[in-house]
Amino acid sequence: MTFKEHILQGIPKNLPDKKTYPATANRAPKRKDILSVDEKKLAVNNALRYFPKAWHAILAPEFAQELQEYGRIYMYRFKPDYKMYARPIDAYPAKTKAAAAIMLMIQNNLNPAVAQHPEELITYGGNGAVFQNWAQYLLTMQYLSQMTDEQTLHMYSGHPMGLFPSSKKAPRVIVTNGMMIPNYSSPDDWERFNALGVTQYGQMTAGSYMYIGPQGIVHGTTITVMNAFRKVLKKGESSAGKIFLTAGLGGMSGAQPKAGNIAGCITICAEVNPKAAKKRHEQGWVDVLVENMDDLLIQVKKTQENKEVKSFAYVGNVVEVWERFYEEEIFINVGSDQTSLHIPWTGGYYPMDYSYEEANKMIKDNPEKFKKAVQKTLRRHAAAINKHTERGTYFFDYGNAFLLEASRAGADVMAENGIDFKYPSYVQDILGPMCFDYGFGPFRWVCTSGKPEDLDYTDKMAGEVLQEIMETAPKEIQLQMQDNITWIHNAKKNNLVVGSQARILYADAEGRIKIAKAFNNAVKTGKIGPVVLGRDHHDVSGTDSPFRETSNIYDGSKFTADMAIHNVIGDSFRGATWVSVHNGGGVGWGEVINGGFGLLLDGTDEANNRLKNMLFYDVNNGISRRSWARNKEALFAIKREMRRTPELKVTLPYMVDKDILENLF
Ligand SMILES: NC(=O)c1ccc[n+]([C@@H]2O[C@H](COP(=O)([O-])OP(=O)(O)OC[C@H]3O[C@@H](n4cnc5c(N)ncnc54)[C@H](O)[C@@H]3O)[C@@H](O)[C@H]2O)c1
C-alpha cells in the first residue's frame, strides 16, 4: 500500500498485528492508576467503540493490559508503519490544500525527531497530546483526506467527532482540548477523564498541530534572557562572564543553554535525567556536559575569569547547584527554573536525596511519599534562592508554576502582602511590558513545500519587511524591532530547524500582516510554495493564564478567560484555516485557557483578505484588553492602532488618582 492509500483507508480493514514498543523509545511516564474497576471497564468500552465487534474479544484484554501497565489506552497496535514526518504538501491525498496543510502539521507534531513521546502521541511537556490514541489519528487523517472546502471537522480532545457541512469561509477544523465544566478541572480530574478516553491535555501547540520543535522556544527564551540581563546590567555592560543558573533540559527547557549562548552569558542548566542531558549535549544545544559538582565549580570559575560565553549541563538536582554556589560565593546574576512544575507529582520535578531511578520508582510505589519529598525539596530550593537574591541575584519565575507550587509547599516565596509572590514572573517583568503589551509575540510560519530554499526566501522577505517598518517605528518599540531583525538575520545560522521548514519571529500586528502579505504574494507569483501561518499560544491575546501570560494584568481580571474565548471565536470567522482552544498549557490543567490558529497562504486574493482581518484581530484583541487593564504600553499601542485604523474603536480607561481611593473604606 502507498502512503496515500494508508491515509485514505483510516482504520485498517484487517486487524493489524500486535506491536511491541521499540526498546529505545522515550516512553511517556506511567500515569496514575486512578480509575475504579467499573471505570476501567468503561475506559475499555470507550476504546472499543472505534472498532468492529469482531475484534472486541482480541482487543479488550489488550486494551485492559495497556490501561493497567501505562495508565492509558494508546492502542499501540494501530500505530501506522509508515515514517512519521511532515511530507511536502502535495504528498497528501486531499480535496483541499487546507486539509493537506493540516495533515502535514499533524505529522510534524508526531515526528519522532520533534515529539517527546511519539509512541504515545505526546509532543512536549510530558503530557501535551495530539491525540489520545492511534485510532483517533487514523480517523482524523482519513476525514481530512475526504474533506471538501465546504465542510468542517470538529475535534473533541483528539476525537474526530466528524465532518459537518459549513462554507468556504469557515475554518476547516475546530479543535478543543480539555474543555471541562469548571469544577472538574483539577489535576486528578485530568488523570481520570483522560484515562477514561474522553479528554486530553493538548498543552498549547501540541493539540493544535502548531509545534515547530525547540526553535519556537529558543527565540522566546533568547528574548527573555537578553532582557533579564538588560534589567541587571549597567548601561554599556556586557553579559559575557555573567551567570544564568536554571534547570531543565527537556522539551522547552532544553532551549535555555542555546538561548544563553545567543544572549552572550554563561549558562548553567541542571538536569536530573542523564538521558535528557546527554541528548541535548549530543544535539549541540549545550556546550559542556558535567557530571560532578567539583568539576562544575572549577570549570565555571575559569569561564567566569575568562569572561567566556559558554553553557554547561550539570547532571544532577538544581538545588545542589544553588546551595553549593552559595557556599562557594559564586555570584549568580540571573536565576530561574524550568522544571515541569505544572505536573509536580508525576515526574515534573525531582526531589533531593533520591537517585533519579529511586524517585521514579517512588512515583509508582509510594506517590504520597514522593509528594512529600518534592515539597521538602521545593522549600529547600526556595530557601537557597532567597539567600542568593539577598546577595543581589535577579530571580524570575519561568511560567512553570515554580512559585505557585513552592508556595503550596509552604516555602518562603510570598511577598509581604501575603497575596503576591516575592519574585516576578518572566511575563510580569519582561515579556508582558516589553512585548505582549505592544503586540509583539511568537508569530511563526511553515513552508509546506518542505524546501529549505523556500524558508531562506521567507527569512529574507521577513527581514526586509521589518527593516522597512523599523524606519518609521516609534522609539517605544525600536528595541523590540532591532532584536527581531537581528534574530531573523541570524536565524539560519543558528541551525534550528527540526522537522518541518519552519521559522519563528516575534512581531506585532503591523509586522505580522505585512510579512504575511509579502509571503502570499510570493506564493501567488510562484516564487515559493504555500505557507502555513500560526503562532505559539503563549502570545498577546490567545491565552488567559494568571500565573503566566496574563500575570501582568492588575485590574483583577487575570482570573477570567474571556479574552482567550473571544480570540478563538473572533479568529474563526475572520479567516483562520483552523482554530483551537485548550484547558491546560504550561502551568497546569485548570490554570489556563489558551488558543491558537493556523492560516494557509495559498497565494489567492481570498487569503490576502483573510490574513489582514484575522491577524489584526488576533493581536489587537489582547492589546485592547491589556489597555483596559491600564497597562501603559498597551494603552500606547492601542491608541496608535486606532489612529492607523479608523474602523477600530476601543473603550479606553480613565485613569484615577490614587488619593481619591485612599479613605473610601
Ligand atoms: N521555555 C519557555 O519559554 C517556557 C515558557 C513558559 C513555561 N515553560 C515551562 O517550563 C517547564 C518545562 O518545560 P519542558 O517542556 O522543558 O518540560 P520537560 O518535562 O520536558 O523538562 C523538564 C526537565 O526538568 C528536569 N527536572 C525536573 N526536576 C528537576 C530538578 N529538581 N533538578 C534538575 N532537573 C529537574 C526533568 O528531568 C526534565 O527533563 C514547563 O512547566 C513549561 O510549561 C517554559
Side-chain angles (χ1 to χ4, degrees):
M1 258 173 132
T2 64
F3 169 69
K4 284 188 180 177
E5 285 163 348
H6 272 290
I7 297 289
L8 290 166
Q9 166 183 244
I11 305 250
K13 298 280 163 299
N14 301 315
L15 184 63
D17 291 338
K18 199 174 167 194
K19 283 194 176 64
T20 41
Y21 276 89
T24 53
N26 182 15
R27 302 294 310 274
K30 180 184 181 328
R31 309 296 183 187
K32 209 167 175 174
D33 184 6
I34 198 170
L35 301 184
S36 66
V37 170
D38 279 347
E39 286 171 330
K40 284 181 181 165
K41 285 185 197 163
L42 181 58
V44 174
N45 193 356
N46 286 346
L48 290 174
R49 63 185 151 172
Y50 287 101
F51 306 102
K53 225 179 167 73
W55 299 353
H56 288 182
I58 302 170
L59 293 180
E62 187 174 313
F63 290 171
Q65 195 194 346
E66 276 196 62
L67 187 60
Q68 215 55 35
E69 256 178 62
Y70 311 119
R72 296 293 184 270
I73 301 171
Y74 298 111
M75 309 180 181
Y76 192 56
R77 178 195 283 262
F78 292 91
K79 183 179 179 221
D81 291 326
Y82 52 74
K83 249 182 112 186
M84 191 65 76
Y85 68 101
R87 291 161 171 76
I89 191 164
D90 293 330
Y92 293 93
K95 295 181 180 153
T96 94
K97 275 257 178 300
I102 297 169
M103 286 195 249
L104 176 162
M105 299 294 284
I106 288 176
Q107 289 208 314
N108 192 55
N109 269 27
L110 294 172
N111 177 343
V114 172
Q116 187 183 18
H117 306 301
E119 324 297 322
E120 290 93 353
L121 305 115
I122 301 286
T123 302
Y124 70 90
N127 58 359
V130 192
F131 298 98
Q132 298 177 61
N133 57 57
W134 286 102
Q136 294 179 341
Y137 165 82
L138 294 174
L139 281 176
T140 301
M141 295 297 274
Q142 185 187 35
Y143 277 130
L144 288 166
S145 71
Q146 296 166 340
M147 159 189 283
T148 70
D149 61 5
E150 297 203 339
Q151 284 175 309
T152 295
L153 176 63
H154 287 260
M155 299 294 301
Y156 281 42
S157 286
H159 170 69
M161 194 54 82
L163 290 173
F164 290 75
S166 59
S167 77
K168 288 197 170 64
K169 284 192 185 303
R172 297 279 68 84
V173 179
I174 303 277
V175 179
T176 60
N177 279 307
M179 285 292 124
M180 301 300 289
I181 301 300
N183 277 347
Y184 298 83
S185 229
S186 71
D188 269 356
D189 289 324
W190 167 67
E191 295 279 2
R192 175 171 295 108
F193 295 108
N194 187 218
L196 279 178
V198 294
T199 193
Q200 72 175 3
Y201 201 115
Q203 276 278 359
M204 293 192 148
T205 50
S208 64
Y209 330 136
M210 196 40 81
Y211 190 68
I212 55 165
Q215 174 184 182
I217 239 50
V218 174
H219 187 26
T221 313
T222 303
I223 288 180
T224 306
V225 177
M226 227 158 53
N227 283 310
F229 273 102
R230 280 182 185 140
K231 285 183 93 69
V232 296
L233 297 178
K234 294 189 200 83
K235 218 172 172 205
E237 201 181 358
S238 134
S239 50
K242 309 270 186 325
I243 291 183
F244 169 44
L245 170 60
T246 184
L249 284 169
M252 289 199 273
S253 48
Q256 295 176 104
K258 188 124 193 164
N261 283 4
I262 300 174
C265 61
I266 303 171
T267 307
I268 296 120
C269 197
E271 169 55 66
V272 283
N273 178 352
K275 260 195 193 162
K278 282 188 186 125
K279 182 174 159 191
R280 288 302 183 196
H281 184 238
E282 277 161 18
Q283 288 173 335
W285 285 67
V286 58
D287 301 326
V288 189
L289 186 74
V290 191
E291 302 193 47
N292 163 302
M293 178 57 79
D294 293 331
D295 207 13
L296 179 73
L297 292 170
I298 294 167
Q299 294 208 49
V300 166
K301 284 179 185 167
K302 200 167 131 222
T303 313
Q304 256 187 322
E305 278 161 26
N306 298 341
K307 288 199 181 332
E308 282 174 86
V309 174
K310 206 180 250 183
S311 52
F312 297 91
Y314 172 65
V315 184
N317 200 301
V318 68
V319 181
E320 284 173 60
V321 187
W322 281 102
E323 292 181 345
R324 273 305 289 280
F325 276 31
Y326 187 79
E327 285 164 23
E328 298 286 328
E329 302 200 353
I330 296 179
F331 182 66
I332 297 164
N333 301 74
V334 172
S336 195
D337 188 84
Q338 267 198 49
T339 54
S340 274
L341 275 158
H342 66 283
I343 40 167
W345 322 129
T346 51
Y349 181 89
Y350 282 81
M352 287 283 280
D353 305 325
Y354 299 93
S355 71
Y356 182 63
E357 291 72 24
E358 282 166 350
N360 278 328
K361 198 165 171 307
M362 193 167 33
I363 296 173
K364 270 193 246 165
D365 300 346
N366 197 341
E368 260 320 297
K369 188 173 167 201
F370 181 80
K371 185 173 174 179
K372 288 213 172 81
V374 162
Q375 291 191 315
K376 186 173 164 205
T377 304
L378 276 169
R379 290 193 291 273
R380 200 166 145 183
H381 194 162
I385 290 169
N386 289 343
K387 286 198 205 161
H388 280 274
T389 57
E390 274 164 26
R391 280 184 182 164
T393 297
Y394 170 62
F395 181 84
F396 63 94
D397 181 284
Y398 214 136
N400 60 339
F402 173 75
L403 291 174
L404 183 66
E405 284 307 334
S407 69
R408 286 172 178 165
D412 175 17
V413 292
M414 298 311 289
E416 274 175 24
N417 66 9
I419 302 166
D420 300 318
F421 294 127
K422 225 183 227 192
Y423 303 111
S425 82
Y426 73 121
V427 174
Q428 277 176 303
D429 253 25
I430 301 168
L431 276 188
M434 293 179 175
C435 295
F436 293 164
D437 286 353
Y438 287 120
F440 286 88
F443 180 58
R444 59 183 54 175
W445 63 89
V446 172
C447 295
T448 65
S449 64
K451 292 182 186 159
E453 319 72 281
D454 277 15
L455 188 60
D456 293 347
Y457 195 81
T458 53
D459 280 351
K460 192 166 152 285
M461 265 191 292
E464 285 166 7
V465 170
L466 290 191
Q467 200 71 54
E468 201 188 306
I469 299 175
M470 173 84 172
E471 277 160 26
T472 54
K475 68 172 189 329
E476 283 82 352
I477 59 168
Q478 290 266 336
L479 195 61
Q480 289 83 337
M481 293 296 301
Q482 192 49 60
D483 285 349
N484 298 328
I485 290 170
T486 308
W487 166 265
I488 197 71
H489 283 164
N490 295 328
K492 188 181 164 91
K493 204 171 68 193
N494 288 329
N495 210 5
L496 292 165
V497 172
V498 181
S500 62
Q501 292 295 319
R503 184 66 71 220
I504 177 153
L505 173 64
Y506 266 59
D508 63 359
E510 183 185 9
R512 298 184 206 202
I513 293 170
K514 287 185 172 162
I515 291 169
K517 271 190 188 167
F519 289 178
N520 196 46
N521 205 30
V523 179
K524 184 178 184 172
T525 51
K527 294 202 174 70
I528 52 174
V531 174
V532 166
L533 297 184
R535 57 164 174 73
D536 193 352
H537 297 196
H538 177 50
D539 196 6
V540 183
S541 315
T543 294
D544 276 301
S545 178
F547 300 104
R548 215 166 85 176
E549 284 78 356
T550 41
S551 57
N552 72 323
I553 300 277
Y554 302 105
D555 68 349
S557 71
K558 68 177 171 182
F559 295 101
T560 65
D562 295 315
M563 178 178 75
I565 297 302
H566 275 274
N567 217 67
V568 69
I569 297 174
D571 282 0
S572 76
F573 66 79
R574 286 184 173 86
T577 309
W578 73 100
V579 289
S580 59
V581 63
H582 303 178
N583 166 20
V587 278
W589 185 253
E591 305 284 0
V592 45
I593 300 292
N594 65 86
F597 73 87
L599 175 61
L600 178 69
L601 300 179
D602 56 4
T604 57
D605 293 345
E606 173 61 19
N608 216 37
N609 293 336
R610 283 168 179 259
L611 75 87
K612 256 195 307 206
N613 227 340
M614 204 221 80
L615 293 175
F616 182 89
Y617 179 74
D618 187 64
V619 177
N620 281 299
N621 169 40
I623 302 182
S624 64
R625 186 268 177 105
R626 289 164 188 275
S627 76
W628 182 239
R630 307 182 192 91
N631 290 13
K632 185 168 108 271
E633 294 79 7
L635 270 163
F636 166 84
I638 206 73
K639 285 181 187 164
R640 180 167 174 251
E641 193 61 270
M642 281 198 275
R643 283 196 298 276
R644 263 202 314 233
T645 315
E647 306 81 37
L648 176 72
K649 293 199 189 311
V650 166
T651 315
L652 296 177
Y654 289 103
M655 294 308 201
V656 177
D657 287 336
K658 246 190 165 171
D659 11 318
I660 298 274
L661 309 171
E662 243 1 87
N663 299 315
L664 285 180
F665 304 103

